[in-house]
Amino acid sequence: MKSLANDSIAQKGQSLLCDSVEVSLLTCSPHEEIYSLYGHTALRWHDMAKGEDIAFNWGVFDFKKPYFVGRFVFGLTDYELGAYPYPFFREEYKRCGSSITEQVLNLTPKEKMTLKQALVENLKPENKVYRYNYFYDNCSMRPRDLIERCIEGKVEYAPREDYQPTYREMVHSCVRNHPWAAFGNDMLLGLKADLKTNQRQQEFLPENLMYDFDRATIYADGEYRPLVKERRIALPAGVQMIEEDFPLTPMQCAWVLLVVSLGIALIEWKQKNRFKWWDALLMLTQGLAGCVLFVMIFSQHPTTSLNLQLLLFNPLPLFFIPSALKGKTQRWRLILLCMTVLFAIGRIFQVYAEGMMIVALCLLIRVIIKFKLEK
């Protein structure tokens, strides 16, 4: 009995200590680094009695690790939970010109204690590293899931509008000022990125999670209480240095390619002579792009494995380049025609990267001009 009484006193003392603790969800606005165009989420543990002020950040990674880019492309990137003084975290985003919105969570002392224990457990070397996935397991979902597990009750989110954006549409909204980043994303993302998402899936974006937390409630012991007790601006937005992208957009480049293709086709028709080098150049570009999409089939990113752009951009053209240079294109012409038709049909089901339909038209022109010159 004495032991139980001591445990009760100890728990009560810890609960009183947690009265001076604020636990907050931190939402950082995007800045110009490519990995930060979508924003960021972290947790803040602020113990005003002890003077502890720690940021828990699930977005720590090391660019210097061997084969980082290749591992990222194949979905083999390992991120980890880092814990460091909040002023350092704040200063990092201040330098970038980002804002930080802080949502103080309406947790009981016991829930704060549970959360602290969970954070300590997560920081252990065997637990801190996780396999990052942008859509399904990222720096926004990790703190959300941890908070939900530590609450004694159920978090209920207010429903949003009926609008159900796809993953691709949400990515587009984040990179709308970076057309080449959007182009790269759209080349790699496949059919699954065009499926409608539910409210919980949309919380992979920090801004959406922040929006839902503002309107969420905790249901426990027959009563409701708001999940967020207070919202404040921890860091106002500063000045960001915006780097200029390539002067032409992907669509403008596609139109330039179409004009060049038509010009070359016109010269070939007048001279009754086929430019074999142009065929080889297009086939090389098409095949190399296809190699990138082909290897993405084996990526652990679930939204890249089924990409209908592979119907036109695949490694197959590389095998026909020697025949094209010898002027033997009959078989390749038939294959290219079939690929182009299938690619156009695939556009019904998947959103393609900007300008890709124009590129397909340029390749179709090669089929037509070869047919005309052989008449």
Side-chain angles (χ1 to χ4, degrees), residues 54-57 60 81-85 123:
I54 304 171
F56 291 87
N57 178 8
V60 177
L81 171 62
Y84 47 93
L123 276 173

Side-chain angles (χ1 to χ4, degrees), residues 166-177:
T166 65
Y167 282 117
R168 194 187 305 273
E169 288 169 342
M170 288 185 283
V171 169
H172 281 179
S173 70
C174 296
V175 296
R176 55 187 175 273
N177 297 323

Side-chain angles (χ1 to χ4, degrees), residues 20 62 78 96 100 104 108 110 118 120 123 125-127 137 142 161 192 195 213 215 223-224 235 263 299 333 367 374:
S20 65
D62 186 1
D78 290 331
C96 298
I100 299 178
V104 181
T108 65
K110 187 176 180 181
V120 171
L123 276 173
E126 64 270 23
N127 297 329
D137 192 1
R142 285 266 160 169
E161 304 168 358
K192 293 179 182 178
L195 301 177
F213 263 43
R215 291 154 181 78
E223 295 182 352
Y224 286 93
L235 177 67
S299 171
R333 184 177 64 200
V367 176
E374 288 177 4

Side-chain angles (χ1 to χ4, degrees), residues 24-172:
S24 306
L25 186 79
L26 304 175
T27 303
C28 310
S29 66
H31 58 82
E32 288 300 297
E33 293 292 342
I34 189 67
Y35 58 83
S36 296
L37 293 176
Y38 312 96
H40 187 56
T41 299
L43 278 182
R44 181 185 183 187
W45 177 274
H46 189 193
D47 189 333
M48 289 165 277
K50 293 183 179 179
E52 291 180 350
D53 199 357
I54 304 171
F56 291 87
N57 178 8
W58 279 264
V60 177
F61 60 92
D62 186 1
F63 267 130
K64 297 179 182 178
K65 281 189 176 181
Y67 312 112
F68 177 84
V69 174
R71 291 175 62 84
F72 186 86
V73 168
F74 281 100
L76 302 174
T77 309
D78 290 331
Y79 278 40
E80 64 181 67
L81 171 62
Y84 47 93
Y86 169 72
F88 292 173
F89 180 88
R90 186 179 185 277
E91 184 62 27
E92 177 186 353
Y93 281 90
K94 184 178 181 180
R95 287 197 305 268
C96 298
S98 295
S99 66
I100 299 178
T101 302
E102 182 175 11
Q103 292 168 295
V104 181
L105 302 180
N106 189 19
L107 305 181
T108 65
K110 187 176 180 181
E111 288 168 344
K112 293 175 187 177
M113 287 169 52
T114 304
L115 181 60
K116 184 176 184 180
Q117 292 167 0
L119 288 169
V120 171
E121 185 68 23
N122 271 251
L123 276 173
K124 291 181 178 179
E126 64 270 23
N127 297 329
K128 66 189 300 184
V129 178
Y130 70 101
R131 182 54 51 84
Y132 175 88
N133 185 286
Y134 177 57
F135 288 139
Y136 302 114
D137 192 1
N138 67 0
C139 62
S140 179
M141 295 175 167
R142 285 266 160 169
R144 177 199 67 185
D145 295 347
L146 189 68
I147 291 166
E148 290 178 348
R149 287 197 299 269
C150 295
I151 286 175
E152 292 187 324
K154 182 181 179 182
V155 179
E156 297 186 2
Y157 297 98
R160 288 210 225 120
E161 304 168 358
D162 292 335
Y163 175 57
Q164 293 180 293
T166 65
Y167 282 117
R168 194 187 305 273
E169 288 169 342
M170 288 185 283
V171 169
H172 281 179

Side-chain angles (χ1 to χ4, degrees), residues 172-354:
H172 281 179
S173 70
C174 296
V175 296
R176 55 187 175 273
N177 297 323
H178 299 270
W180 284 101
F183 176 82
N185 286 330
D186 284 337
M187 282 297 293
L188 297 179
L189 292 175
L191 183 63
K192 293 179 182 178
D194 292 308
L195 301 177
K196 298 295 184 182
T197 58
N198 60 38
Q199 182 171 347
R200 192 164 183 82
Q201 290 171 326
Q202 293 162 25
E203 290 173 353
F204 83 95
L205 283 180
E207 184 178 346
N208 288 343
L209 182 64
M210 178 177 68
Y211 181 92
D212 285 345
F213 263 43
D214 270 339
R215 291 154 181 78
T217 56
I218 300 171
Y219 179 73
D221 299 326
E223 295 182 352
Y224 286 93
R225 70 179 191 269
L227 174 60
V228 174
K229 180 168 61 175
E230 181 185 351
R231 172 173 169 163
R232 54 192 178 224
I233 302 299
L235 177 67
V239 177
Q240 296 192 17
M241 299 298 294
I242 299 177
E243 296 182 5
E244 292 291 332
D245 279 350
F246 186 70
L248 297 179
T249 67
M251 182 62 78
Q252 290 169 338
C253 288
W255 282 113
V256 170
L257 178 62
L258 179 60
V259 171
V260 172
S261 297
L262 289 171
I264 289 176
L266 182 60
I267 295 172
E268 287 177 315
W269 182 73
K270 286 187 175 181
Q271 295 183 359
K272 305 300 179 184
N273 180 36
R274 188 164 61 243
F275 291 172
K276 300 173 185 177
W277 60 269
W278 180 245
D279 284 326
L281 180 60
L282 288 179
M283 292 167 73
L284 178 64
T285 306
Q286 182 185 4
L288 291 178
C291 287
V292 175
L293 298 188
F294 179 75
V295 298
M296 292 303 294
I297 294 175
F298 308 99
S299 171
Q300 290 193 13
H301 290 297
T303 51
T304 63
S305 56
L306 183 59
N307 191 339
L308 297 184
Q309 291 173 113
L310 270 165
L311 293 170
L312 187 60
F313 298 94
N314 55 63
L316 193 59
L318 300 177
F319 297 99
F320 286 90
I321 290 178
S323 299
L325 291 174
K326 295 176 184 178
K328 300 177 181 179
T329 59
Q330 292 85 353
R331 183 178 298 177
W332 169 242
R333 184 177 64 200
L334 179 60
I335 292 173
L336 180 58
L337 179 60
C338 293
M339 288 167 56
T340 306
V341 171
L342 290 174
F343 180 78
I345 295 173
R347 179 61 181 83
I348 300 171
F349 306 99
Q350 179 183 319
V351 175
Y352 292 159
E354 186 179 59

